[in-house]
Amino acid sequence: MIKVLKPGFYTTVQDMGRFGYQQYGVPVSGAMDLYAASVANMLLGNSANNAVLEMTMTGPTLQFICKSAICISGADLSPKLNQQPIAINKEIEVKEGDILSFGKMKFGFRSYLAVSGGIKTDKVMNSRSLYQGVTLQSTIAKGDELPIELHSDSVQEKHAGLKIKTNYFDSKEIQVLKGTEFDKLPKHQQELLLSQEFTISKNNSRMAYQLEQELENNNLESIITSPVLPGTVQLTPSGKLIVLMRDCQTTGGYPRVLQLAENAINKLSQKMAGQVVTFKLVQV
Amino acid sequence: MAFNLTYKPFGERAILIEWPFEIDEAILKDIMRFKESISQKKIKVIVELRHAYNSLLVVYYDVCRNYKKEVISLKSIYKSIKKKHDILSKLWKIPVCYDESFGIDLEYISNEKKHTKSEIVALHSKAIYTVYFVGFLPGFLYLGGLDERLYFPRKSTPRLKIEKGAVAIGGKQTGVYPSESPGGWNIIGNTPISFFDPKKEPHCFANAGDRIKFVPVSLKEYGDIKILVDAGVYELESEVIND
């Protein structure tokens, strides 16, 4: 079991998401950076869908009530075990009573903590991902006890190497495909959309990232409410762009001008307010 | 009737199929027949089918490498749909209390529309609404069939908190907030019925194609029904309809 001493700024339990329930209006959810979450799981020999903790900007303080093995991936929030700095992207053994805490954010925005065997909180509609309205809590809270499996074997020597991508934290280029309403934009707006720099606004969450700069002369009409997916970029009547993220609603009425490539959602989720992005059109 | 459909890629692993840009029951029926025909084929690479007023999203398990081939296969399924395919649906009777303690915007609408409050309630509860799809929030039903005399614009500034069960009008639409949430629609009543339950199957009782009728109840009846709903023993009234 893991005891939550301090929850951190915004810490949630996430797996790969809640699939097949979008017909009831339920968001997919799941780790914002699925790549980082799966790296943390893989380095422990877990399966990709094992639940992890997603820690945003400021990490939690956690006490292990049993022996385990952990791996942290994604953003570097300066993790410490019993006050001693530990490495990320590496399997670390923890003993009963050990305290895991975090310090300064060095790079990225969301960090992932995987534990051997995964976090075993209750599944709701086939997923452990927290989402208010489907699960009782939307984040972990002080005093919570997160069930985990007792980890029996010690850390084993690993002979297989895993090359971990880290360049995606620095690059501002977000790979996109044309959205379903892209062709309705006038040529000069299409060009602006794919050349202008956009700043991530303070209005960003697991649901959506709003961008600051407005696209000029927006005359595109609203559509009849239609499906949207994580990574859909909507253009509002005021010219603001909204990038939908993992907890987004299932349908929307704003024109869908771009669609982020799968790995671009991971990349954007490691960025925070004030950072700048550009959209680059790619072919599938 | 076969419609002229358009197919577009939606990201790396989905295809969006679109019908004419109208809200129309004939389109809804056609979408549902197509959806049913695709799911009957049990195509392994398709993980999800989701529709809205005039669109159907086909989501694939993995990156869609041969988009053209998938579109050809979908088109051939659409051609092979049997015309006479009966759709069984249900009419659900939803108790709603239009008391002013719940219907906080009734008075304002009444003044603006020059209809008495009881006329508004009568118009709203007389109509039979069609469920087009579920979206926006878990258990939020998109309904068609609001009487034109009740069309009323959304609030220019949304409320930060709308109660669970609030029955509301927004533009040309009416609906029920399935959970507490912010929202810009005008509140005219409240229902004690739960529209979404993550712990109960089915999670949402109503399906696309079903009908909804709102039945006015008093504050006292509302309270009695709520006790039964909270205890999990309330039996919602419904009728099977064949159209």
Side-chain angles (χ1 to χ4, degrees):
Chain A
M1 196 202 294
I2 301 174
K3 191 158 185 197
V4 179
L5 304 181
K6 282 185 200 159
F9 170 63
Y10 196 93
T11 308
T12 65
V13 178
Q14 297 293 339
D15 50 27
M16 291 180 84
R18 197 165 269 118
F19 297 101
Y21 298 100
Q22 284 61 60
Q23 56 177 322
Y24 303 116
V26 176
V28 180
S29 300
M32 287 280 272
D33 183 349
L34 283 172
Y35 171 77
S38 64
V39 165
N41 271 326
M42 258 189 274
L43 287 169
L44 287 178
N46 284 351
S47 84
N49 199 34
N50 277 150
V52 298
L53 279 190
E54 177 176 286
M55 307 169 290
T56 314
M57 197 161 68
T58 310
T61 304
L62 308 167
Q63 183 167 34
F64 286 83
I65 309 299
C66 64
K67 194 178 158 200
S68 185
I70 61 168
C71 182
I72 296 161
S73 193
D76 189 342
L77 307 183
S78 309
K80 297 181 200 69
L81 194 63
N82 302 324
Q83 298 301 327
Q84 294 303 307
I86 53 170
I88 62 168
N89 297 316
K90 190 172 182 291
E91 179 171 352
I92 308 265
E93 217 179 326
V94 292
K95 296 184 301 298
E96 187 184 329
D98 278 359
I99 290 177
L100 179 67
S101 60
F102 295 85
K104 211 172 148 239
M105 183 166 73
K106 288 185 188 155
F107 62 80
F109 190 48
R110 291 182 167 87
S111 186
Y112 293 86
L113 168 70
V115 298
S116 180
I119 292 167
K120 301 284 187 187
T121 43
D122 290 342
K123 277 191 182 179
V124 180
M125 299 173 91
N126 222 10
S127 166
R128 295 188 165 94
S129 290
L130 295 184
Y131 177 79
Q132 188 79 55
V134 172
T135 56
L136 289 173
Q137 284 173 278
S138 53
T139 57
I140 63 164
K142 187 180 172 177
D144 280 355
E145 291 174 340
L146 309 170
I148 58 170
E149 272 173 11
L150 186 70
H151 175 72
S152 47
D153 12 288
S154 58
V155 176
Q156 283 169 14
E157 191 109 0
K158 295 267 189 336
H159 297 289
L162 182 67
K163 193 165 160 35
I164 296 152
K165 283 185 272 181
T166 50
N167 57 349
Y168 74 107
F169 292 103
D170 310 321
S171 150
K172 63 180 180 185
E173 191 180 282
I174 297 293
Q175 298 194 319
V176 292
L177 298 120
K178 285 180 183 176
T180 45
E181 279 73 53
F182 180 84
D183 290 334
K184 291 184 183 161
L185 283 173
K187 197 107 208 129
H188 70 279
Q189 278 201 327
Q190 296 182 354
E191 280 162 13
L192 270 178
L193 192 56
L194 297 170
S195 58
Q196 200 177 314
E197 287 193 334
F198 294 96
T199 313
I200 296 165
S201 82
K202 282 188 182 126
N203 215 331
N204 71 82
S205 67
R206 284 188 44 87
M207 200 178 272
Y209 272 43
Q210 262 192 42
L211 304 180
E212 268 171 22
Q213 291 78 0
E214 285 168 12
L215 205 62
E216 294 169 8
N217 306 319
N218 170 35
N219 294 317
L220 210 53
E221 277 178 32
S222 288
I223 53 170
I224 297 176
T225 305
S226 184
V228 292
L229 290 172
T232 299
V233 183
Q234 299 178 313
L235 177 62
T236 67
S238 69
K240 283 236 155 95
L241 294 165
I242 301 174
V243 188
L244 300 180
M245 300 300 275
R246 307 280 182 200
D247 276 353
C248 72
Q249 68 273 24
T250 56
T251 56
Y254 295 132
R256 299 154 289 191
V257 290
L258 297 171
Q259 179 68 36
L260 266 58
E262 294 287 328
N263 60 21
I265 306 174
N266 301 333
K267 193 168 175 177
L268 185 61
S269 70
Q270 290 296 355
K271 303 206 181 294
M272 56 193 281
Q275 287 186 308
V276 166
V277 294
T278 56
F279 295 115
K280 169 96 194 293
L281 203 59
V282 291
Q283 298 294 324
V284 182
Chain B
M1 171 167 59
F3 291 90
N4 199 2
L5 309 187
T6 56
Y7 294 75
K8 286 177 190 169
F10 193 135
E12 289 163 286
R13 47 184 211 98
I15 294 173
L16 184 73
I17 309 170
E18 289 179 310
W19 276 255
F21 293 93
E22 288 160 43
I23 298 177
D24 180 344
E25 289 208 20
I27 291 176
L28 174 68
K29 278 183 188 153
D30 200 55
I31 293 175
M32 288 174 62
R33 281 194 197 103
F34 193 8
K35 197 175 166 183
E36 181 61 26
S37 307
I38 299 171
S39 52
Q40 275 172 4
K41 301 261 178 208
K42 299 201 189 305
I43 303 166
K44 280 200 187 112
V45 291
I46 295 178
V47 281
E48 198 195 339
L49 293 163
R50 220 202 292 171
H51 79 276
Y53 286 117
N54 65 332
S55 49
L56 175 62
L57 187 69
V58 184
V59 185
Y60 292 82
Y61 187 77
D62 209 345
V63 173
C64 204
R65 300 211 181 274
N66 198 338
Y67 166 75
K68 282 191 179 128
K69 193 180 131 236
E70 299 300 346
V71 169
I72 290 169
S73 131
L74 290 169
K75 280 182 174 170
S76 91
I77 297 175
Y78 186 63
K79 266 192 193 158
S80 70
I81 296 175
K82 292 186 186 67
K83 297 269 148 47
K84 291 269 177 220
H85 179 79
D86 279 347
I87 298 169
L88 279 186
S89 52
K90 280 185 171 172
L91 169 69
W92 301 94
K93 292 175 185 165
I94 309 294
V96 174
C97 180
Y98 292 95
D99 187 90
E100 275 172 66
S101 56
F102 289 127
I104 47 180
D105 294 321
L106 261 181
E107 174 124 7
Y108 182 66
I109 300 177
S110 164
N111 291 337
E112 293 287 307
K113 292 290 235 185
K114 309 269 182 277
H115 285 302
T116 64
K117 283 175 236 168
S118 50
E119 279 168 348
I120 292 170
V121 171
L123 285 172
H124 191 259
S125 56
K126 196 180 66 186
I128 291 181
Y129 302 97
T130 301
V131 179
Y132 277 84
F133 60 99
V134 188
F136 169 53
L137 284 171
F140 184 88
L141 310 182
Y142 278 83
L143 301 176
L146 182 67
D147 191 300
E148 277 181 32
R149 286 167 284 183
L150 294 180
Y151 288 0
F152 201 75
R154 291 173 176 83
K155 297 203 165 294
S156 50
T157 314
R159 285 191 174 97
L160 290 174
K161 188 180 142 185
I162 288 180
E163 298 293 328
K164 178 186 174 187
V167 177
I169 291 173
K172 298 176 180 180
Q173 292 175 296
T174 186
V176 179
Y177 283 88
S179 54
E180 188 187 296
S181 83
W185 290 20
N186 306 279
I187 317 297
I188 59 167
N190 193 289
T191 176
I193 303 300
S194 253
F195 280 73
F196 174 75
D197 189 342
K199 298 218 167 89
K200 216 168 93 186
E201 302 265 359
H203 301 292
C204 181
F205 59 84
N207 289 306
D210 283 357
R211 307 300 161 103
I212 296 277
K213 195 173 185 314
F214 296 115
V215 181
V217 295
S218 67
L219 260 182
K220 162 88 174 64
E221 288 169 296
Y222 177 95
D224 293 346
I225 297 170
K226 182 137 182 59
I227 290 168
L228 297 176
V229 170
D230 291 346
V233 294
Y234 184 75
E235 199 69 39
L236 194 59
E237 244 188 278
S238 70
E239 286 168 24
V240 175
I241 44 177
N242 192 352
D243 56 1

